[in-house]
């Protein structure tokens, strides 16, 4: 069973109205100058990314827009909160947090080290092929089942959370692929969960999720090229007509996920799937042989039938099955029939 590694995560954190202050370690003036210059340069790059994204109608900013993030006064560094450096919504907060985490990960594992890890990684499997095979076998959408402990809108979904046991239950219940959430702060996931599932023989990551609400066209194009070089599939997630039109204009797209959840308000409407697949868009998708994945708001056989009739050949589901005492039986309840092999 193929695995999709997800880095997205959501939770709304209450922010203090006071400036955040912390002590700074003593370093040489020259070293401090170099570090400050690097922070400013990184901020400038981030501002350029924000401008490119905004020019394409993307509302999510990649990082705060009002000056470098930290200000220095003597031995202290602090951030003044204002409209420019306070996230507008949950997704933007997540993106800013993830930007900091990735920077820290780069320091711990430089690119050269990462490349060596990739060379020794097991070969990825056919994620797209697994979804097609499941759809062909059952006549129903292939299932990507989420190994997910928490939800930004629902909180903790499962207290007794054993990622390996859940993955095995999904596989036994008929899931074609897995979505393993790795974010720690917001979704209570981890890369250790992914590693544990891989070591248990359920396989590792064969695909990644790209969110069009955050990424400009060029970023999506480049990431798809990198995925092809690494043998990974890319599930590109859209939420509205603008994002769908942009993604349909990119070559090499094999999977498009339609998220029925508004990532800014978190409201869910499964009619969004039908709306985005009507008319010319649906024809283009059919012509390009793109698999559409329905996401969010799917709890019953009627929900699955609705999105399938709209043109969906796969679904990504977490909450409605992971909350069940036996997630495998949760799959049966979702489809209204036994999906196991």
């Amino acid at each position: 069973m193929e695995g999709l590694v997800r880095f997205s995560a959501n939770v709304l954190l209450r922010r203090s109205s006071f400036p955040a202050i912390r002590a700074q370690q003593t370093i040489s003036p020259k070293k401090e100058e170099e570090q400050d210059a690097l922070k400013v340069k990184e901020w400038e790059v981030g501002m350029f990314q924000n401008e490119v994204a905004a020019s394409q109608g993307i509302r999510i900013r990649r990082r705060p827009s009002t000056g470098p993030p930290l200000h220095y006064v003597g031995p202290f560094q602090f951030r003044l909160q204002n409209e420019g450096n306070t996230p507008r919504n949950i997704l933007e907060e997540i993106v800013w947090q993830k930007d900091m985490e990735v920077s820290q990960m780069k320091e711990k594992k430089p690119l050269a080290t990462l490349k060596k890890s990739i060379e020794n990684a097991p070969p990825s499997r056919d994620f797209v092929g697994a979804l097609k095979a499941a759809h062909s076998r059952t006549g129903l959408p292939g299932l990507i089942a989420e190994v997910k402990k928490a939800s930004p809108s629902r909180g903790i979904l499962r207290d007794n959370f054993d990622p390996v046991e859940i993955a095995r239950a999904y596989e036994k219940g008929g899931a074609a692929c897995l979505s393993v959430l790795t974010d720690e702060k917001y979704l209570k996931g981890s890369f250790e969960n992914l590693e544990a599932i891989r070591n248990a023989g359920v396989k590792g990551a064969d695909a990644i999720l790209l969110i069009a609400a955050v990424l400009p066209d060029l970023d999506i194009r480049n990431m798809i090229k990198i995925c092809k070089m690494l043998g990974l599939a890319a599930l590109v997630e859209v939420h509205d007509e603008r994002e769908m039109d942009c993604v349909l204009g990119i070559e090499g797209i094999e999977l498009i996920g339609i998220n029925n959840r508004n990532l800014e308000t978190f409201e869910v409407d499964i009619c969004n799937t039908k709306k985005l697949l009507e008319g010319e868009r649906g024809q283009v998708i059919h012509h390009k042989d793109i698999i559409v994945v329905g996401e969010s708001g799917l709890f019953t056989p009627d929900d699955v039938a609705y999105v399938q009739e709209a043109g969906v050949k796969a679904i990504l589901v977490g909450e409605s099955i992971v909350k069940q005492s036996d997630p495998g039986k949760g799959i049966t309840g979702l489809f209204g029939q036994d999906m196991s092999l």
Side-chain angles (χ1 to χ4, degrees), residues 219-289:
D219 284 358
I220 295 176
R221 293 176 195 274
N222 288 338
M223 289 182 184
I224 287 176
K225 289 179 181 178
I226 292 171
C227 283
K228 289 187 181 300
M229 290 170 59
L230 298 175
L232 298 174
L235 172 57
V236 185
E237 182 178 280
V238 303
H239 305 80
D240 56 32
E241 294 94 333
R242 182 199 66 78
E243 293 170 12
M244 176 66 90
D245 291 340
C246 287
V247 171
L248 287 178
I250 297 175
E251 290 299 319
I253 298 287
E254 294 182 283
L255 292 170
I256 294 179
I258 297 180
N259 197 330
N260 298 311
R261 187 185 304 278
N262 183 312
L263 292 187
E264 295 183 21
T265 67
F266 269 42
E267 294 178 355
V268 177
D269 181 4
I270 65 172
C271 294
N272 189 48
T273 295
K274 183 177 180 180
K275 179 176 69 174
L276 297 190
L277 292 177
E278 289 178 331
E280 186 177 345
R281 294 187 186 94
Q283 295 173 15
V284 172
I285 287 170
H286 178 74
H287 176 72
K288 292 190 173 185
D289 195 27

Side-chain angles (χ1 to χ4, degrees), residues 108-123 195 198 230:
K108 293 179 181 178
K109 182 173 285 190
L111 184 59
T113 304
L114 185 60
K115 285 181 176 179
K116 288 183 180 179
S117 299
I118 293 173
E119 291 173 0
N120 297 324
E195 188 68 25
R198 175 189 293 128
L230 298 175

Side-chain angles (χ1 to χ4, degrees), residues 127-144 174-177 289-292 304 307-309 311-315 335 337 339 341:
F127 191 88
V128 176
L131 293 175
K132 288 182 177 179
H135 176 65
S136 176
R137 177 177 65 86
T138 66
L140 294 168
L143 174 63
I144 306 171
C177 304
D289 195 27
I290 295 172
I291 292 179
V292 177
V304 174
V307 295
Q308 181 175 14
E309 186 178 350
V312 159
K313 292 184 179 179
I315 55 175
F335 285 94
Q337 66 183 69
M339 300 291 289
L341 295 174

Side-chain angles (χ1 to χ4, degrees), residues 126 184 246 334:
D126 188 357
E184 296 185 22
C246 287
L334 174 66

Side-chain angles (χ1 to χ4, degrees), residues 175-186:
C177 304
L178 296 179
S179 170
V180 182
L181 287 91
T182 58
D183 179 85
E184 296 185 22
K185 182 171 183 178
Y186 297 102

Side-chain angles (χ1 to χ4, degrees), residues 49-92:
Q49 290 174 329
N50 283 348
E51 292 174 8
V52 171
S55 70
Q56 296 182 15
I58 296 175
R59 296 185 296 274
I60 302 300
R61 297 168 297 175
R62 298 282 275 272
R63 58 183 61 188
S65 60
T66 54
L70 298 177
H71 305 277
Y72 296 86
V73 177
F76 299 104
Q77 58 184 10
F78 64 94
R79 175 182 285 111
L80 292 174
Q81 286 195 293
N82 54 48
E83 184 179 357
N85 66 19
T86 301
R88 296 168 180 161
N89 52 56
I90 298 171
L91 180 57
E92 191 164 86

